Amino acid sequence: MTKKLHVKTYGCQMNVYDSARMADVLAPLGYRLTDSVDDADLVILNTCHIREKAGEKVYSDLGRLRPLKAMRRAGGGDLLLAVAGCTAQAEGAEVVRRAPHVDIVVGPQAYHRLPELVARALRAADGAAGPGRGVVATDFPAEPKFDFLPQPTERQAVSVFLAVQEGCDKFCTFCVVPYTRGAEYSRPVRDVVAEAGRLAALGAREVTLLGQNVNAYHGAAPEGGEWGLGRLVRALAAEVPALGRIRYTTSHPRDMDEALIAAHRDVPQLMPFLHLPVQSGADRVLARMNRRHTADDFRRIVDRLRAARPDIALSSDFIVGYPGETDADFAATMALIVEIGFAQAFSFKYSPRPGTPAAVEPEQVPDAIRTERLAALQDLLRQQQDAFNAATVGRTVPVLFEKRGRHPGQLAGRTPWLQWLHASAPERLIGSTVDVVVEATGPNSLAGRLAIAQSADAAA
Ligand code: SAH
Ligand code: SF4
Ligand code: F3S
């Protein structure tokens, strides 16, 4: 019997990947995806715990689902509610205490067990706390979940995610990820190449290799020993030629080794764009964050990357108002940004997270100052992003078309530098990389025209 599954994803790309895998895991039980909660039999909220706002969001969403569940049950039906992801891992049974109508709490390393958890929830009576079954699975199993996940079988998007590494051993003082995702783990090379091959056979043309610390990758090699990410990228480029584009995220400056930098020089499929979080430009702050790199280390890495691949564009993450951050520290961050020049970046006000060392630092920066610094930093980053986009106008760039655009007859695709671009183009070009003349920049995407006009009905 088919049942309907609705998955809402919060947070990072790893959660996007996990959400798709959860749907795969539940497909043999007859669950098919639906976009709306109203006809769902099972709703999964795949949560993020990185900042306070993210952690709290799930409870407001759960509040909205409570009357829906009550209504279903009043009518003799049912609605299973599952909370997955990093908040589930961090809070465990506390989720059920705060939201007693939740049936299942499942962490990022336990979701391959969803069929069993769903069956248990369906058999169970309401929990002691309320109208939910309170099935909690937040263990870190000895066997990695990847060994239990079914392989994708359905038509894939043009651009897909592939988790190659998970977890983090770095323990930056502000960050919950080492606690929610667990210790660092790398999938064996053979499994990654096989999955990439399958994704390509199912239509994918671009793969983004994912990991919380993706460049710490050290997977078991086919003939013994271990390979780093640079070597893995070379293997994927050689063995899965249908993947015209390879990307990876998120990297840590500490793990930006020579082999990976050389891959940027030698592997044309590896796109000239790198998201490399630096967090701060002040060494004092970086040391207190336990980042184990200095601002100069970051500058040197960028120099080497640019020497290897002159057109590489950079993205980063910044935290403002880390405990003890002074005006001079913040000025050092602004100076670093001016010096490097970023194509885009993400920036956040420091958010104290329970259980992390920074949360109990005495010198918390007042919110008004954090807000002020964030505004100044985002202003600067916005200018750099606008300048970067403007510099592409007039150039001819290869665009991989991914989907239909907003207007009829239009497609949307990405440049090598991860910019969205819209152009009038026939639908058969979805999945193809085509030269496009960039004509204008807009707030969220570039606009262009095909360098060589294509007729709508020509054979592909
Ligand atoms: N290496 C990770 C980083 C995850 S968190 C990855 O795979 O993406 C993404 C970003 O969130 C971090 O780089 C950092 O800039 C920000 N962040 C993490 N903890 C934070 C906190 N407590 N307050 C504000 N921002 C935070
Ligand atoms: Fe968090 Fe630092 Fe690990 Fe990134 S490297 S996930 S910021 S602890
Ligand atoms: Fe959020 Fe967990 Fe990703 S905390 S950013 S969903 S690793």
Side-chain angles (χ1 to χ4, degrees):
M1 197 190 67
T2 52
K3 288 164 277 184
K4 295 272 180 65
L5 164 68
H6 177 80
V7 187
K8 179 167 179 186
T9 308
Y10 314 70
C12 64
Q13 289 111 321
M14 188 70 97
N15 262 12
V16 175
Y17 177 85
D18 288 342
S19 289
R21 295 287 78 75
M22 287 188 229
D24 291 345
V25 164
L26 289 166
L29 273 70
Y31 282 100
R32 296 288 170 269
L33 281 170
T34 170
D35 287 337
S36 115
V37 290
D38 295 317
D39 62 344
D41 301 287
L42 167 60
V43 172
I44 300 178
L45 304 180
N46 193 14
T47 59
C48 173
H49 206 58
I50 202 75
R51 284 166 290 275
E52 189 182 353
K53 229 193 235 148
E56 287 305 308
K57 180 93 180 45
V58 60
Y59 290 104
S60 53
D61 285 352
L62 282 170
R64 270 194 295 277
L65 287 167
R66 187 203 285 269
L68 182 66
K69 176 160 181 165
M71 215 169 67
R72 282 286 179 86
R73 295 188 124 198
D78 202 357
L79 172 63
L80 277 186
L81 279 184
V83 176
C86 287
T87 303
Q89 187 64 42
E91 298 192 350
E94 178 66 18
V95 174
V96 179
R97 269 190 294 275
R98 285 185 65 180
H101 55 305
V102 166
D103 298 291
I104 298 168
V105 178
V106 57
Q109 305 309 341
Y111 67 74
H112 56 292
R113 291 173 45 206
L114 268 170
E116 164 214 332
L117 302 173
V118 167
R120 249 166 69 194
L122 287 172
R123 278 197 310 270
D126 289 349
R133 280 74 157 213
V135 175
V136 178
T138 53
D139 48 328
F140 290 112
E143 299 283 302
K145 66 166 179 262
F146 293 105
D147 294 350
F148 301 94
L149 297 179
Q151 286 298 331
T153 53
E154 288 181 21
R155 181 93 196 143
Q156 296 292 308
V158 171
S159 180
V160 294
F161 294 132
L162 200 181
V164 304
Q165 180 279 340
E166 198 172 355
C168 180
D169 296 339
K170 297 265 186 321
F171 291 94
C172 301
T173 52
F174 51 81
C175 183
V176 296
V177 169
Y179 312 97
T180 63
R181 291 277 165 172
E184 206 176 80
Y185 169 77
S186 297
R187 297 176 68 188
V189 171
R190 199 177 281 127
D191 294 2
V192 173
V193 174
E195 188 167 328
R198 216 162 284 122
L199 292 168
L202 292 166
R205 293 295 169 262
E206 170 178 278
V207 69
T208 301
L209 308 177
L210 292 185
Q212 270 80 41
N213 262 276
V214 71
N215 59 339
Y217 178 84
H218 55 102
E223 276 115 37
E226 288 183 343
W227 286 2
L229 190 65
R231 189 95 192 260
L232 178 71
V233 164
R234 281 178 200 267
L236 287 170
E239 291 178 41
V240 193
L243 288 175
R245 290 185 169 191
I246 302 174
R247 304 178 184 275
Y248 60 92
T249 200
T250 298
S251 300
H252 192 288
R254 289 271 302 189
D255 297 311
M256 228 39 242
D257 64 12
E258 199 47 50
L260 186 53
I261 292 173
H264 276 284
R265 181 190 62 216
D266 300 335
V267 181
Q269 291 93 326
L270 188 55
M271 288 293 103
F273 180 92
L274 179 63
H275 179 64
L276 189 62
V278 63
Q279 316 298 357
S280 168
D283 289 347
R284 225 175 52 84
V285 175
L286 290 169
R288 291 175 64 147
M289 288 175 162
N290 190 33
R291 289 290 292 179
R292 294 184 292 144
H293 63 79
T294 63
D296 270 350
D297 291 335
F298 186 82
R299 290 184 180 93
R300 275 192 291 271
I301 291 165
V302 170
D303 287 346
R304 285 158 65 206
L305 281 161
R306 284 178 169 158
R309 183 80 209 231
D311 66 340
I312 197 162
L314 292 160
S315 157
S316 199
D317 289 341
F318 297 91
I319 295 179
V320 299
Y322 183 82
E325 185 188 71
T326 63
D327 285 337
D329 294 330
F330 177 64
T333 302
M334 295 291 274
L336 181 73
I337 295 173
V338 169
E339 216 180 300
I340 301 283
F342 291 95
Q344 65 147 80
F346 302 95
S347 47
F348 316 97
K349 271 199 262 185
Y350 168 69
S351 169
R353 305 305 289 132
T356 61
V360 292
E361 287 264 2
E363 303 167 78
Q364 300 291 329
V365 174
D367 189 53
I369 297 181
R370 282 186 279 165
T371 303
E372 201 178 292
R373 288 181 186 164
L374 185 66
L377 185 121
Q378 292 190 332
D379 226 40
L380 176 59
L381 289 168
R382 165 60 57 185
Q383 285 172 32
Q384 293 195 338
Q385 178 166 354
D386 288 348
F388 179 80
N389 289 338
T392 51
V393 175
R395 292 182 56 193
T396 301
V397 301
V399 171
L400 172 57
F401 285 116
E402 294 188 22
K403 57 186 186 190
R404 284 192 209 120
R406 276 188 295 274
H407 304 296
Q410 209 184 44
L411 297 184
R414 301 257 206 180
T415 73
W417 307 283
L418 216 55
Q419 298 148 297
W420 279 106
L421 181 144
H422 286 83
S424 294
E427 215 159 286
R428 65 184 165 78
L429 289 183
I430 292 177
S432 299
T433 301
V434 180
D435 276 346
V436 175
V437 182
V438 182
E439 295 184 308
T441 62
N444 301 310
S445 73
L446 306 174
R449 63 175 162 77
L450 301 188
I452 300 168
Q454 307 254 351
S455 72
D457 49 6

